[in-house]
Amino acid sequence: MISKTLERRSGIAIWRQIADELRNEIATNVSVQNNRLPSETTLAKRFEVNRHTVRAALNALAKEGIVESRQGQGTFVRARKRISYPIGKRTRFSDGIGNQVQTTRGRLLNLSIDQATPEIASALYITPSSKVICLKTLSDADDMPLSRSTSWFCAKRFPDIGTAYQTTGSITKALTQCGIADYLRQSTEIEAHHATMADTEYLQLSPGAIVLVTQAINSDMEGNPIQFSTTRFAADRVSLAIINA
Amino acid sequence: MISKTLERRSGIAIWRQIADELRNEIATNVSVQNNRLPSETTLAKRFEVNRHTVRAALNALAKEGIVESRQGQGTFVRARKRISYPIGKRTRFSDGIGNQVQTTRGRLLNLSIDQATPEIASALYITPSSKVICLKTLSDADDMPLSRSTSWFCAKRFPDIGTAYQTTGSITKALTQCGIADYLRQSTEIEAHHATMADTEYLQLSPGAIVLVTQAINSDMEGNPIQFSTTRFAADRVSLAIINA
DNA sequence: TTTAGTTGTCTAGATCAATAGACAAATTTT
DNA sequence: AAAATTTGTCTATTGATCTAGACAACTAAA
């Protein structure tokens, strides 16, 4: 198909560049017939590299659980679906993905009481350097880490949000306990970045992996912002579905 | 700050892992004082590597235009802003980013008439294997490639969409010429992937770079789908802003 | 059973990445 | 002026990645 040469001396090993390319083609069903990849020799010819280099790439994909090699037969793709995470006015974690997975879990990693930075203050409509509660959480789906979030709440309005989250394992339920029966997503910004070291640790990713970073503000029904949060998703496990309606 | 060890034998050179980490920290203003990075020796101690390895990382960031080193003084970050690309009911390319850049340009890379795949057919509400026009385009902002798209239109309804795009360089204007005065974004799906070889070529990216991939359906004012498209953004040049209202 | 095609494993050498140390060149502080 | 701190450049060595070739082990088809 594409016969562009691989870049050497780029800091990314050739076998990993091939792995990235094949992962993409598998995701879009290019050059995959009957769930079977071309043979190692064929791929080596196509990428103009040694067969061992192709094997290193396939080995990496096998470790990710994307393909499976069988001696004498070939290399086959194992179907895996991304979790579709809805983003709209009524975005909620467990509700949104609940029908796609068996179990969801939220864990509190860290709680601290900080002074609001200018950015947080303007998002929450409070005076700069007033007190905010900062919650760092990790969310699992089927015991695979899916995302990690940092949320800020006005400490004066939600003094007990931390303990409420710890007992419920859910922001929505914690807000209910704090008197917020319903809330709306006011804004969302999405970026993509390379995984940081903290990401590779908490989300169980390899270096060079991708995280989808969303920055969101939630408001109560009167339109007052109540939560400002940054969430980092393991990009190869999710697809963000934007709900316009 | 974070003292997690770097992963060796991962196919990603250590200097590139450090570059990725620093790029992220620069973006979030961590460990950057007065626009000045810590000295090479300090960074080498922190990452527990040789100073030359840190230099390789800084060299890469300098080539990307993110930092600038001055002998005897230090290494400084150069301010660069991502273009914020709005996604909502009324998403349009040039309108949305027009106030952030000087010039925008759209170029037609390829036009073909294909049979609709099941996916395209269901998105456009047409019978499978009926004819569709496929437009591959590249969009620049200030002469930097920003995104590349593949769009499908019903060939029966929009026979002249190709020439209309070529003369106007804009999907919106092309649709106007074809009798669509106004249209709405019906759905958007967002994923993040590693750049393919075609991405590195057209979007001028390095291997290992990230692309934000959106899949969207646009409808006319009666709610009939008119365009199905996949867009791949250079992730380090944009931020997607979700408009819920 | 034979043959062709596939993945698995081993050895050896060539190229690239990372470490180590030394010193030059430029800037700021003392 | 001198000292301290910074980036820039050089050489040499060790370790990881990529290439090359050969052959074993397994599978499916002739």
Side-chain angles (χ1 to χ4, degrees):
Chain A
M1 307 279 92
I2 304 142
S3 64
K4 200 83 182 67
T5 43
L6 299 158
E7 284 192 39
R8 318 233 159 195
R9 251 163 287 186
S10 64
I12 314 280
I14 303 271
W15 63 262
R16 191 166 266 280
Q17 294 186 48
I18 294 174
D20 290 346
E21 180 72 19
L22 289 177
R23 195 190 301 102
N24 265 305
E25 295 186 1
I26 288 169
T28 54
N29 283 318
V30 181
S31 82
V32 179
Q33 303 237 331
N34 294 339
N35 256 29
R36 187 175 175 281
L37 289 180
S39 77
E40 294 175 352
T41 345
T42 312
L43 289 171
K45 261 185 213 145
R46 180 190 144 193
F47 289 111
E48 296 174 353
V49 297
N50 193 275
R51 186 179 143 229
H52 291 101
T53 312
V54 169
R55 281 178 63 74
L58 293 176
N59 211 349
L61 294 179
K63 272 190 189 157
E64 293 178 33
I66 295 176
V67 301
E68 186 184 11
S69 293
R70 290 199 282 271
Q71 192 171 33
Q73 298 182 248
T75 304
F76 302 83
V77 321
R78 293 169 39 155
R80 270 197 340 161
K81 271 202 346 211
R82 287 175 189 237
I83 295 172
S84 181
Y85 183 86
I87 291 187
K89 279 189 185 164
R90 306 191 59 80
T91 295
R92 277 129 180 81
F93 183 78
S94 5
D95 281 14
I97 65 169
N99 53 341
Q100 301 172 64
V101 295
Q102 298 295 317
T103 67
T104 60
R105 188 172 54 141
R107 267 177 297 163
L108 185 65
L109 297 177
N110 187 270
L111 184 153
S112 61
I113 299 181
D114 307 333
Q115 291 200 329
T117 64
E119 187 184 21
I120 297 171
S122 96
L124 290 181
Y125 261 57
I126 57 179
T127 56
S129 78
S130 61
K131 292 266 191 299
V132 284
I133 294 184
C134 170
L135 257 53
K136 290 184 190 293
T137 60
L138 185 64
S139 295
D140 289 11
D142 289 340
D143 294 315
M144 248 324 232
L146 191 69
S147 66
R148 61 193 200 99
S149 305
T150 308
S151 299
W152 289 272
F153 301 86
C154 174
K156 201 168 152 196
R157 183 159 178 202
F158 302 103
D160 303 321
I161 190 78
T163 52
Y165 181 84
Q166 205 144 22
T167 53
T168 60
S170 148
I171 293 280
T172 304
K173 287 177 189 160
L175 282 170
T176 309
Q177 287 197 4
C178 294
I180 303 289
D182 202 1
Y183 63 90
L184 293 180
R185 176 70 63 105
Q186 193 180 83
S187 70
T188 310
E189 279 269 330
I190 302 178
E191 297 186 353
H193 293 270
H194 283 104
T196 64
M197 295 176 192
D199 291 326
T200 60
E201 187 181 357
Y202 287 116
L203 297 176
Q204 296 175 24
L205 298 171
S206 323
I210 306 176
V211 286
L212 273 165
V213 183
T214 68
Q215 214 168 59
I217 301 176
N218 282 324
S219 307
D220 62 21
M221 303 313 281
E222 281 79 47
N224 305 311
I226 55 176
Q227 177 194 9
F228 176 58
S229 61
T230 301
T231 304
R232 306 175 71 87
F233 292 89
D236 62 348
R237 292 171 206 154
V238 294
S239 159
L240 304 181
I242 310 303
I243 317 290
N244 283 324
Chain B
M1 309 276 101
I2 303 143
S3 62
K4 200 82 181 69
T5 43
L6 299 158
E7 284 191 37
R8 318 230 160 195
R9 255 165 283 188
S10 63
I12 315 281
I14 303 271
W15 63 263
R16 190 166 266 281
Q17 294 185 49
I18 293 173
D20 290 346
E21 180 72 19
L22 289 176
R23 196 191 299 102
N24 265 306
E25 294 185 1
I26 288 168
T28 54
N29 284 318
V30 180
S31 81
V32 179
Q33 304 239 331
N34 294 340
N35 256 30
R36 187 174 176 283
L37 288 181
S39 76
E40 295 175 351
T41 343
T42 312
L43 289 172
K45 261 184 212 147
R46 181 192 141 191
F47 289 112
E48 298 175 351
V49 297
N50 193 275
R51 186 181 143 229
H52 291 100
T53 311
V54 168
R55 281 179 62 74
L58 293 175
N59 211 351
L61 293 178
K63 272 190 188 157
E64 293 176 36
I66 296 177
V67 302
E68 186 183 11
S69 292
R70 291 200 280 272
Q71 192 171 33
Q73 296 183 252
T75 304
F76 302 83
V77 321
R78 292 169 40 155
R80 266 200 339 164
K81 269 198 355 204
R82 286 175 190 238
I83 295 172
S84 180
Y85 183 87
I87 292 188
K89 279 189 184 165
R90 306 192 60 79
T91 296
R92 276 127 182 81
F93 183 77
S94 4
D95 281 15
I97 66 168
N99 53 342
Q100 302 173 62
V101 295
Q102 299 294 317
T103 66
T104 60
R105 188 170 54 140
R107 267 177 296 163
L108 184 64
L109 297 177
N110 186 268
L111 183 153
S112 61
I113 301 181
D114 308 332
Q115 291 202 329
T117 64
E119 188 183 22
I120 298 170
S122 96
L124 289 181
Y125 260 56
I126 56 179
T127 57
S129 77
S130 62
K131 291 266 192 299
V132 285
I133 295 183
C134 171
L135 257 55
K136 289 184 191 291
T137 60
L138 185 64
S139 295
D140 289 12
D142 290 340
D143 294 315
M144 255 311 241
L146 192 69
S147 66
R148 62 193 198 99
S149 304
T150 308
S151 299
W152 289 272
F153 301 87
C154 174
K156 201 168 150 195
R157 183 159 179 200
F158 303 103
D160 303 321
I161 190 77
T163 53
Y165 181 84
Q166 205 145 24
T167 54
T168 60
S170 148
I171 293 278
T172 304
K173 288 176 189 160
L175 282 171
T176 308
Q177 287 198 3
C178 294
I180 303 291
D182 203 2
Y183 63 91
L184 293 179
R185 175 69 64 106
Q186 193 180 80
S187 70
T188 310
E189 280 270 329
I190 302 177
E191 297 186 354
H193 294 268
H194 283 105
T196 63
M197 296 175 190
D199 291 326
T200 60
E201 188 181 357
Y202 287 116
L203 297 176
Q204 295 176 27
L205 298 172
S206 321
I210 306 177
V211 287
L212 273 165
V213 182
T214 67
Q215 214 168 57
I217 301 175
N218 282 324
S219 306
D220 62 20
M221 303 312 279
E222 281 79 46
N224 305 312
I226 55 178
Q227 177 195 11
F228 176 58
S229 62
T230 303
T231 304
R232 305 174 72 87
F233 293 89
D236 61 348
R237 292 172 206 153
V238 294
S239 158
L240 304 181
I242 310 303
I243 319 290
N244 284 324

